[in-house]
Amino acid sequence: MDSDLNLKATELRLGLPGTIDAISPPKNSKRSSPDSDSATPPPKAQIVGWPPVRSYRKNNLAEAESGSFVKVSMDGAPYLRKIDLKVYNGYVELLEGLEKMFKLTIGEYSEREGYKGSEYAPAYEDKDGDLMLVGDVPWEMFKSSCKRLRIMKASDARGLGCAV
Amino acid sequence: MAYSFPEEVLEHVFSFLSLARDRNAVSLVCKSWYEIERWCRHRIFVGNCYAVSPEIVIRRFPELRAVEMKGKPHFADFNLVPEGWGAYAYPWIAAMAEAYPFLEEIKLKRMVVTDESLELISKSYKNFKVLVLTSCEGFTTDGLASIAANCRHLRELDLRESEVEDLSGHWLSHFPDSCTSLVSLNMSCLGSEVSFSSLERLVARSPNLRTLRLNRAVPLEKLANLVRHAPQLVELGTGAYSSEIRSDTFSSLADAFSACKQLKALSGFWDVVPSYLPAVYSVCSGITSLNLSYAAIPSSDLVKLISQCQNLQRLWVLDYIEDSGLEALAASCKDLQELRVFPSDPFGAEPNVSLTEQGLVSVSEGCPKLESVLYFCRQMSNAALIAIARNRPNFIRFRLCIIEPQAADYLTLEPLDAGFGAIVENCKELRRLSMSGLLTDRVFKYIGTHAKKLEMLSIAFAGESDLGLHHVLSGCDSLRKLEIRDCPFGDKAVLANAAKLDTMRSLWMSSCSVSFGACKLLAQKMPRLNVEVIDERGPPDSRPESCVVERVYVYRTVASRQRLDMPDFVWTLDEDSSMRYS
């Protein structure tokens, strides 16, 4: 079980997730051979100002992309948090991350009963604006349709199919 | 003189000349024409705020009513110009406040504008009408509040893509009830929510409103109310285009749009929910400009929308449109003149959409009027570029960004010299070119030989030697702006073509091979050029002269070469080539 919460994902930063600013490459790198396509390309160190997309546009895109950073609210908490869905590989990691971030337990998911045995149930707002229970759809579909997360008190989540 | 026209007659004749170029020509005829012309020039454009000083402008043109000015070099858009470099609007605003009490228009691009400047504008010009701030920064919504409160006859407030410190949305409520003169309001770059009732009342009492660009915080449910108050709108930028799917919201929106018989341009569409797009279908046949570049819309929904817009002339869109969408565009929009395709995931290692060179080829084939292109993609071939060039010899702007630097022709693994060569050879009217991909000195030879009308050239990670730069500087007769980054171009080409730089607005070179010694020599040779060394490693003379500078920005100027607002990382060289820094 992966117990390591990816702190970098929740760190306050300027700039797009997953980028590391680096100085521009040496000016004599002219005839380097084109990058060979490898099965898993290593994360790239980003070149300053490349590709030439204006910061205004970059900032707007970061929010337009579906399934990237989403706001997470918890009923009763004074302020919201933001997480990057891209860093999680599945529901297990996501829920663990939420548990760590908000210091609570979420419990076991089952299709029939929702989240059993906990005070809280994770819900999300999808593209159509509807409030949905986390876990019903395949992970990839969830990532692309989730607009924001809401950790609800299980008593409020009864309508979403949660057994308390 | 056998005869001479009275001054008033000449002035009347000159009043028909609107182009600065024509007025400049007129001023050169003789001294009396120069005098007459300068007193009746009302509008100027200053392409580089450091090319001239406020004092010089004011001395020559005492009766200006409209000033348009640009500050930072274009590469500032991509963070290549360090923060604090310059381009402050305040000295200009302050000087003009005294000299031109009847000034009506100020349009600034890439300049630093403070709240102080905005307040000064709002209080100094009784008849102020137009404020356009494109890609500017340095001000907050407090400055906007001054403008709203004090400019009684304001017609245009346009904050195109400026970076505004958004303290609150309260500024909009400062427009007095008596303000009914608004023609254009563009607040799309602001984050905060404005009071909706203030906004609604403002729109309702502005019968001349033609352009309204809302910000993301204006919810879709409220859009219909606003549009209903302004059926005369020609350009509309929506706020967030997402909402719970409800049939009453939809029909209300669709009805409101159908009343807008003059609507020609649409933009905004943040957070778009595709099911709401059909609400605009009733206006699509009249739409000539569509900016969907902030809208994550899947290709199929894009196609449905675009195929209704048969009169489309300009399309800005994200690469979600994919090759298939561009093919559909090519089939439906025969009037298309400008296409910009932006990357939805510019920093991703792998392509996230199926957009390749094929999309651009399709559009170049299907759209006979296409003349201006900005295209981001991940692969390109010489064959495609040659086909595009042959299809569209009428290109005037061609900007291609292949996301991977120095990417070769993906089919042959060769450089893309032949492809870009075909572009400049076929497109004889080309005025602007941005290149990318793997390029040798050969492409610059083609450019120098063929691109005779080229005015602006942007180069990155290209070329092999000074010969490349030399081809461009010696061959491109119409070149005004040249910007280069990360290319092995150095002293020889720059010094050999020093005289050319006097005929251009500016040259920018960063991460190239120009030495400090060459910068000094250039400054010595060319007294009317300002050679700015922009280097964050400390004074250039603390290193050997042969040391390469991080950045050099060369521009012609009639103002003093020592601008007084230089930060500590900019050095400029005086006539005796001693270094000065303020």
Side-chain angles (χ1 to χ4, degrees):
Chain A
M1 196 158 71
D2 186 11
S3 58
D4 184 22
L5 178 64
N6 188 347
L7 285 169
K8 269 218 165 296
T10 54
E11 178 189 304
L12 276 176
R13 280 201 296 181
L14 297 174
L16 287 182
T19 63
I20 312 151
D21 279 327
I23 52 170
S24 34
K27 37 206 167 305
N28 290 319
S29 58
K30 351 160 226 308
R31 294 263 227 168
S32 49
S33 50
D35 281 338
S36 53
D37 283 327
S38 49
T40 48
K44 291 193 138 99
Q46 194 189 330
I47 301 168
V48 171
W50 192 267
V53 177
R54 297 194 50 231
S55 12
Y56 176 83
R57 188 167 287 284
K58 269 192 283 194
N59 295 339
N60 273 278
L61 269 185
E63 296 174 50
E65 254 178 52
S66 47
S68 189
F69 274 104
V70 295
K71 290 184 185 171
V72 189
S73 61
M74 181 167 104
D75 290 355
Y79 52 82
L80 281 65
R81 304 295 305 268
K82 250 193 170 162
I83 58 167
D84 182 1
L85 291 180
K86 276 204 180 126
V87 310
Y88 301 107
N89 290 327
Y91 285 120
V92 174
E93 282 187 19
L94 170 65
L95 295 176
E96 274 172 9
L98 290 175
E99 284 179 326
K100 288 213 169 96
M101 188 184 262
F102 290 96
K103 315 247 184 311
L104 44 78
T105 40
I106 290 180
E108 294 277 325
Y109 168 81
S110 76
E111 205 183 301
R112 215 157 43 89
E113 297 182 63
Y115 286 89
K116 199 170 134 113
S118 76
E119 273 182 77
Y120 293 97
Y124 70 99
E125 203 178 292
D126 73 356
K127 271 187 179 155
D128 297 328
D130 296 323
L131 192 62
M132 316 283 293
L133 187 69
V134 169
D136 288 335
V137 301
W139 173 249
E140 288 297 326
M141 190 188 289
F142 165 76
K143 265 203 305 187
S144 61
S145 58
C146 173
K147 288 279 142 200
R148 101 187 243 159
L149 280 162
R150 183 176 154 196
I151 300 183
M152 299 174 71
K153 288 251 163 60
S155 44
D156 293 336
R158 204 160 284 148
L160 291 173
C162 279
V164 175
Chain B
M1 265 298 216
Y3 57 85
S4 57
F5 283 127
E7 272 185 29
E8 304 82 59
V9 176
L10 275 173
E11 213 179 288
H12 181 70
V13 171
F14 295 166
S15 71
F16 291 98
L17 300 175
S18 52
L19 294 180
R21 190 182 58 213
D22 294 336
R23 282 184 163 264
N24 293 345
V26 151
S27 323
L28 292 174
V29 167
C30 64
K31 282 193 183 142
S32 65
W33 280 36
Y34 175 92
E35 278 300 305
I36 297 167
E37 194 284 320
R38 76 183 187 90
W39 278 93
C40 67
R41 188 168 321 196
H42 297 307
R43 183 173 281 279
I44 57 160
F45 169 73
V46 178
N48 172 6
C49 63
Y50 291 121
V52 70
S53 71
E55 294 70 41
I56 294 174
V57 171
I58 290 169
R59 195 167 57 222
R60 180 169 172 188
F61 299 117
E63 301 281 319
L64 290 183
R65 295 201 204 120
V67 173
E68 188 179 341
M69 187 171 309
K70 294 186 179 179
K72 299 186 202 174
H74 175 239
F75 271 0
D77 284 356
F78 316 125
N79 300 333
L80 293 179
V81 178
E83 191 76 33
W85 173 79
Y88 301 105
Y90 189 79
W92 285 90
I93 308 285
M96 294 193 304
E98 294 221 13
Y100 303 128
F102 299 109
L103 193 70
E104 295 177 2
E105 283 185 28
I106 295 178
K107 297 183 181 173
L108 305 175
K109 184 169 185 177
R110 275 189 220 104
M111 293 193 75
V112 178
V113 181
T114 55
D115 284 347
E116 244 185 323
S117 303
L118 292 177
E119 203 179 322
L120 195 55
I121 290 173
S122 75
K123 302 223 165 108
S124 312
Y125 310 115
K126 303 293 168 231
N127 215 21
F128 195 70
K129 297 199 169 95
V130 174
L131 182 64
V132 178
L133 301 175
T134 307
S135 306
C136 292
E137 52 167 355
F139 59 104
T140 77
T141 40
D142 286 351
L144 297 179
S146 316
I147 299 283
N150 302 320
C151 299
R152 298 286 155 97
H153 307 285
L154 194 68
R155 290 211 196 134
E156 281 183 47
L157 178 59
D158 188 338
L159 307 170
R160 263 172 242 188
E161 306 201 331
S162 288
E163 299 208 6
V164 186
E165 194 183 329
D166 206 321
L167 301 172
S168 89
H170 198 56
W171 66 275
L172 187 93
S173 308
H174 285 257
F175 278 110
D177 289 338
S178 54
C179 177
T180 57
S181 48
L182 267 185
V183 173
S184 168
L185 177 63
N186 178 358
M187 46 182 256
S188 53
C189 62
L190 298 178
S192 296
E193 199 174 332
V194 298
S195 150
F196 186 76
S197 56
S198 297
L199 177 59
E200 196 173 2
R201 283 199 314 270
L202 179 63
V203 171
R205 66 174 183 273
S206 305
N208 298 317
L209 195 67
R210 294 279 171 276
T211 298
L212 179 63
R213 298 204 199 275
L214 303 168
N215 66 344
R216 199 180 195 151
V218 177
L220 187 60
E221 300 85 11
K222 304 257 176 83
L223 183 61
N225 298 22
L226 285 176
V227 172
R228 246 191 291 280
H229 286 298
Q232 77 282 4
L233 278 178
V234 175
E235 300 182 329
L236 173 70
T238 74
Y241 208 75
S242 88
S243 178
E244 238 177 80
I245 314 257
R246 293 172 48 155
S247 57
D248 54 349
T249 312
F250 181 91
S251 48
S252 173
L253 196 56
D255 282 342
F257 273 117
S258 60
C260 297
K261 307 287 183 205
Q262 326 239 30
L263 206 52
K264 291 230 169 326
L266 282 174
S267 60
F269 296 101
W270 284 284
D271 310 318
V272 63
V273 167
S275 329
Y276 273 105
L277 286 174
V280 306
Y281 281 359
S282 60
V283 295
C284 281
S285 57
I287 293 291
T288 57
S289 168
L290 206 47
N291 182 353
L292 302 171
S293 61
Y294 296 104
I297 306 177
S299 182
S300 49
D301 293 296
L302 274 171
V303 168
K304 281 195 212 130
L305 178 62
I306 289 170
S307 49
Q308 314 245 353
C309 304
Q310 269 104 21
N311 289 312
L312 198 61
Q313 291 172 14
R314 185 204 307 192
L315 177 65
W316 292 20
V317 73
L318 285 169
D319 57 9
Y320 292 124
I321 193 172
E322 301 194 323
D323 289 342
S324 54
L326 290 174
E327 218 178 292
L329 174 70
S332 352
C333 304
K334 296 305 183 183
D335 268 356
L336 195 70
Q337 292 169 21
E338 179 181 329
L339 174 67
R340 296 196 191 189
V341 180
F342 295 97
S344 54
D345 187 17
F347 305 104
E350 296 296 305
N352 61 327
V353 291
S354 176
L355 178 106
T356 68
E357 79 283 8
Q358 190 47 50
L360 189 54
V361 173
S362 310
V363 183
S364 73
E365 262 167 20
C367 301
K369 300 193 187 164
L370 188 67
E371 58 178 26
S372 176
V373 166
L374 170 61
Y375 199 77
F376 282 81
C377 61
R378 288 172 189 270
Q379 66 184 42
M380 189 48 65
S381 66
N382 283 309
L385 281 170
I386 292 169
I388 290 165
R390 291 206 180 129
N391 288 336
R392 290 276 68 76
N394 49 322
F395 273 152
I396 53 177
R397 272 173 234 107
F398 188 74
R399 296 157 71 184
L400 178 67
C401 178
I402 306 164
I403 288 180
E404 179 67 32
Q406 300 178 323
D409 176 328
Y410 77 102
L411 294 169
T412 64
L413 299 184
E414 282 172 1
L416 291 170
D417 300 335
F420 280 103
I423 294 283
V424 293
E425 200 176 330
N426 284 285
C427 307
K428 305 207 193 301
E429 300 300 311
L430 197 68
R431 296 202 303 253
R432 182 166 181 183
L433 177 65
S434 300
M435 307 190 294
S436 55
L438 184 64
L439 297 164
T440 71
D441 284 346
R442 222 172 321 132
V443 72
F444 298 109
K445 183 149 191 231
Y446 298 145
I447 292 174
T449 308
H450 296 287
K452 295 305 182 186
K453 300 263 178 85
L454 193 66
E455 296 179 8
M456 181 168 177
L457 179 61
S458 310
I459 311 172
F461 306 104
E464 304 158 283
S465 75
D466 272 48
L467 202 51
L469 180 56
H470 176 70
H471 284 311
V472 170
L473 288 175
S474 56
C476 296
D477 298 335
S478 312
L479 199 61
R480 291 189 300 113
K481 292 180 277 186
L482 179 57
E483 47 185 23
I484 306 173
R485 63 162 298 178
D486 294 276
C487 296
F489 298 149
D491 302 351
K492 278 207 268 275
V494 174
L495 291 172
N497 293 283
K500 171 73 173 176
L501 300 180
D502 216 21
T503 68
M504 291 167 55
R505 181 185 297 173
S506 65
L507 165 68
W508 169 278
M509 295 178 72
S510 56
S511 305
C512 295
S513 310
V514 181
S515 71
F516 180 56
C519 293
K520 290 212 300 195
L521 267 174
L522 181 62
Q524 248 180 335
K525 254 179 133 169
M526 307 293 301
R528 283 190 323 195
L529 290 181
N530 203 358
V531 180
E532 285 192 13
V533 171
I534 303 166
D535 204 316
E536 290 171 291
R537 298 170 299 175
D541 58 359
S542 65
R543 292 181 290 277
E545 279 205 3
S546 55
C547 217
V548 153
V549 299
E550 279 179 350
R551 306 168 197 80
V552 61
Y553 183 45
V554 183
Y555 52 90
R556 65 180 173 188
T557 181
V558 296
S560 145
R561 285 161 89 172
Q562 306 304 323
R563 59 181 177 99
L564 300 170
D565 58 1
M566 290 191 295
D568 60 10
F569 51 82
V570 177
W571 289 269
T572 199
L573 296 137
D574 211 348
E575 271 77 54
D576 57 3
S577 90
S578 62
M579 253 183 20
R580 294 289 166 80
Y581 30 118
S582 58

PDB file of all heavy atoms in Angstrom, chain B residues 364-377:
ATOM      1  N   SER B 364      -5.444  24.714 -45.410  1.00  0.00           N
ATOM      2  CA  SER B 364      -4.786  25.468 -46.485  1.00  0.00           C
ATOM      3  C   SER B 364      -5.365  25.090 -47.840  1.00  0.00           C
ATOM      4  O   SER B 364      -5.421  25.898 -48.757  1.00  0.00           O
ATOM      5  CB  SER B 364      -3.272  25.240 -46.468  1.00  0.00           C
ATOM      6  OG  SER B 364      -2.960  23.950 -46.930  1.00  0.00           O
ATOM      7  N   GLU B 365      -5.834  23.849 -47.948  1.00  0.00           N
ATOM      8  CA  GLU B 365      -6.444  23.403 -49.204  1.00  0.00           C
ATOM      9  C   GLU B 365      -7.829  23.964 -49.365  1.00  0.00           C
ATOM     10  O   GLU B 365      -8.212  24.405 -50.442  1.00  0.00           O
ATOM     11  CB  GLU B 365      -6.597  21.866 -49.167  1.00  0.00           C
ATOM     12  CG  GLU B 365      -5.518  21.109 -49.869  1.00  0.00           C
ATOM     13  CD  GLU B 365      -5.557  19.618 -49.513  1.00  0.00           C
ATOM     14  OE1 GLU B 365      -6.620  19.131 -49.048  1.00  0.00           O
ATOM     15  OE2 GLU B 365      -4.508  18.980 -49.679  1.00  0.00           O
ATOM     16  N   GLY B 366      -8.606  23.940 -48.265  1.00  0.00           N
ATOM     17  CA  GLY B 366     -10.020  24.246 -48.387  1.00  0.00           C
ATOM     18  C   GLY B 366     -10.399  25.708 -48.253  1.00  0.00           C
ATOM     19  O   GLY B 366     -11.486  26.099 -48.658  1.00  0.00           O
ATOM     20  N   CYS B 367      -9.519  26.521 -47.704  1.00  0.00           N
ATOM     21  CA  CYS B 367      -9.892  27.917 -47.419  1.00  0.00           C
ATOM     22  C   CYS B 367      -9.072  28.886 -48.263  1.00  0.00           C
ATOM     23  O   CYS B 367      -7.959  29.256 -47.875  1.00  0.00           O
ATOM     24  CB  CYS B 367      -9.691  28.219 -45.938  1.00  0.00           C
ATOM     25  SG  CYS B 367     -10.669  27.139 -44.876  1.00  0.00           S
ATOM     26  N   PRO B 368      -9.622  29.300 -49.389  1.00  0.00           N
ATOM     27  CA  PRO B 368      -8.842  30.094 -50.343  1.00  0.00           C
ATOM     28  C   PRO B 368      -8.422  31.470 -49.821  1.00  0.00           C
ATOM     29  O   PRO B 368      -7.457  32.042 -50.325  1.00  0.00           O
ATOM     30  CB  PRO B 368      -9.782  30.248 -51.539  1.00  0.00           C
ATOM     31  CG  PRO B 368     -11.144  29.941 -51.028  1.00  0.00           C
ATOM     32  CD  PRO B 368     -10.990  29.035 -49.865  1.00  0.00           C
ATOM     33  N   LYS B 369      -9.127  31.986 -48.779  1.00  0.00           N
ATOM     34  CA  LYS B 369      -8.776  33.326 -48.317  1.00  0.00           C
ATOM     35  C   LYS B 369      -7.877  33.305 -47.094  1.00  0.00           C
ATOM     36  O   LYS B 369      -7.568  34.346 -46.527  1.00  0.00           O
ATOM     37  CB  LYS B 369     -10.048  34.095 -47.968  1.00  0.00           C
ATOM     38  CG  LYS B 369     -10.974  34.245 -49.150  1.00  0.00           C
ATOM     39  CD  LYS B 369     -12.056  35.253 -48.867  1.00  0.00           C
ATOM     40  CE  LYS B 369     -13.071  35.250 -50.003  1.00  0.00           C
ATOM     41  NZ  LYS B 369     -14.313  35.915 -49.618  1.00  0.00           N
ATOM     42  N   LEU B 370      -7.458  32.120 -46.687  1.00  0.00           N
ATOM     43  CA  LEU B 370      -6.642  32.017 -45.479  1.00  0.00           C
ATOM     44  C   LEU B 370      -5.331  32.749 -45.669  1.00  0.00           C
ATOM     45  O   LEU B 370      -4.566  32.455 -46.578  1.00  0.00           O
ATOM     46  CB  LEU B 370      -6.380  30.543 -45.160  1.00  0.00           C
ATOM     47  CG  LEU B 370      -5.691  30.260 -43.820  1.00  0.00           C
ATOM     48  CD1 LEU B 370      -6.604  30.634 -42.667  1.00  0.00           C
ATOM     49  CD2 LEU B 370      -5.274  28.811 -43.722  1.00  0.00           C
ATOM     50  N   GLU B 371      -5.065  33.733 -44.791  1.00  0.00           N
ATOM     51  CA  GLU B 371      -3.837  34.503 -44.966  1.00  0.00           C
ATOM     52  C   GLU B 371      -3.024  34.627 -43.683  1.00  0.00           C
ATOM     53  O   GLU B 371      -1.882  35.095 -43.716  1.00  0.00           O
ATOM     54  CB  GLU B 371      -4.170  35.902 -45.488  1.00  0.00           C
ATOM     55  CG  GLU B 371      -5.099  36.658 -44.560  1.00  0.00           C
ATOM     56  CD  GLU B 371      -5.407  38.068 -45.030  1.00  0.00           C
ATOM     57  OE1 GLU B 371      -5.344  38.333 -46.247  1.00  0.00           O
ATOM     58  OE2 GLU B 371      -5.690  38.905 -44.157  1.00  0.00           O
ATOM     59  N   SER B 372      -3.615  34.206 -42.561  1.00  0.00           N
ATOM     60  CA  SER B 372      -2.916  34.407 -41.292  1.00  0.00           C
ATOM     61  C   SER B 372      -3.074  33.157 -40.434  1.00  0.00           C
ATOM     62  O   SER B 372      -4.192  32.725 -40.169  1.00  0.00           O
ATOM     63  CB  SER B 372      -3.521  35.638 -40.599  1.00  0.00           C
ATOM     64  OG  SER B 372      -2.945  35.823 -39.336  1.00  0.00           O
ATOM     65  N   VAL B 373      -1.938  32.580 -40.027  1.00  0.00           N
ATOM     66  CA  VAL B 373      -1.980  31.308 -39.305  1.00  0.00           C
ATOM     67  C   VAL B 373      -1.057  31.354 -38.090  1.00  0.00           C
ATOM     68  O   VAL B 373       0.072  31.832 -38.179  1.00  0.00           O
ATOM     69  CB  VAL B 373      -1.530  30.158 -40.239  1.00  0.00           C
ATOM     70  CG1 VAL B 373      -1.229  28.893 -39.438  1.00  0.00           C
ATOM     71  CG2 VAL B 373      -2.583  29.844 -41.280  1.00  0.00           C
ATOM     72  N   LEU B 374      -1.567  30.826 -36.976  1.00  0.00           N
ATOM     73  CA  LEU B 374      -0.726  30.516 -35.810  1.00  0.00           C
ATOM     74  C   LEU B 374      -1.082  29.093 -35.431  1.00  0.00           C
ATOM     75  O   LEU B 374      -2.249  28.805 -35.162  1.00  0.00           O
ATOM     76  CB  LEU B 374      -1.018  31.480 -34.648  1.00  0.00           C
ATOM     77  CG  LEU B 374      -0.385  31.108 -33.293  1.00  0.00           C
ATOM     78  CD1 LEU B 374       1.131  31.069 -33.361  1.00  0.00           C
ATOM     79  CD2 LEU B 374      -0.815  32.102 -32.221  1.00  0.00           C
ATOM     80  N   TYR B 375      -0.101  28.204 -35.461  1.00  0.00           N
ATOM     81  CA  TYR B 375      -0.424  26.777 -35.326  1.00  0.00           C
ATOM     82  C   TYR B 375       0.578  26.093 -34.413  1.00  0.00           C
ATOM     83  O   TYR B 375       1.787  26.133 -34.676  1.00  0.00           O
ATOM     84  CB  TYR B 375      -0.376  26.142 -36.714  1.00  0.00           C
ATOM     85  CG  TYR B 375      -1.085  24.817 -36.869  1.00  0.00           C
ATOM     86  CD1 TYR B 375      -2.480  24.760 -36.971  1.00  0.00           C
ATOM     87  CD2 TYR B 375      -0.375  23.621 -36.978  1.00  0.00           C
ATOM     88  CE1 TYR B 375      -3.136  23.549 -37.157  1.00  0.00           C
ATOM     89  CE2 TYR B 375      -1.026  22.403 -37.167  1.00  0.00           C
ATOM     90  CZ  TYR B 375      -2.415  22.371 -37.257  1.00  0.00           C
ATOM     91  OH  TYR B 375      -3.068  21.176 -37.451  1.00  0.00           O
ATOM     92  N   PHE B 376       0.081  25.484 -33.359  1.00  0.00           N
ATOM     93  CA  PHE B 376       0.923  24.685 -32.465  1.00  0.00           C
ATOM     94  C   PHE B 376       0.655  23.219 -32.765  1.00  0.00           C
ATOM     95  O   PHE B 376      -0.511  22.808 -32.782  1.00  0.00           O
ATOM     96  CB  PHE B 376       0.555  24.943 -30.996  1.00  0.00           C
ATOM     97  CG  PHE B 376       1.091  26.222 -30.426  1.00  0.00           C
ATOM     98  CD1 PHE B 376       0.459  27.426 -30.664  1.00  0.00           C
ATOM     99  CD2 PHE B 376       2.226  26.220 -29.627  1.00  0.00           C
ATOM    100  CE1 PHE B 376       0.943  28.612 -30.127  1.00  0.00           C
ATOM    101  CE2 PHE B 376       2.720  27.395 -29.067  1.00  0.00           C
ATOM    102  CZ  PHE B 376       2.069  28.593 -29.317  1.00  0.00           C
ATOM    103  N   CYS B 377       1.692  22.446 -32.974  1.00  0.00           N
ATOM    104  CA  CYS B 377       1.484  21.018 -33.206  1.00  0.00           C
ATOM    105  C   CYS B 377       2.725  20.266 -32.761  1.00  0.00           C
ATOM    106  O   CYS B 377       3.697  20.877 -32.326  1.00  0.00           O
ATOM    107  CB  CYS B 377       1.181  20.733 -34.673  1.00  0.00           C
ATOM    108  SG  CYS B 377       2.515  21.206 -35.770  1.00  0.00           S
TER     109      CYS B 377
END
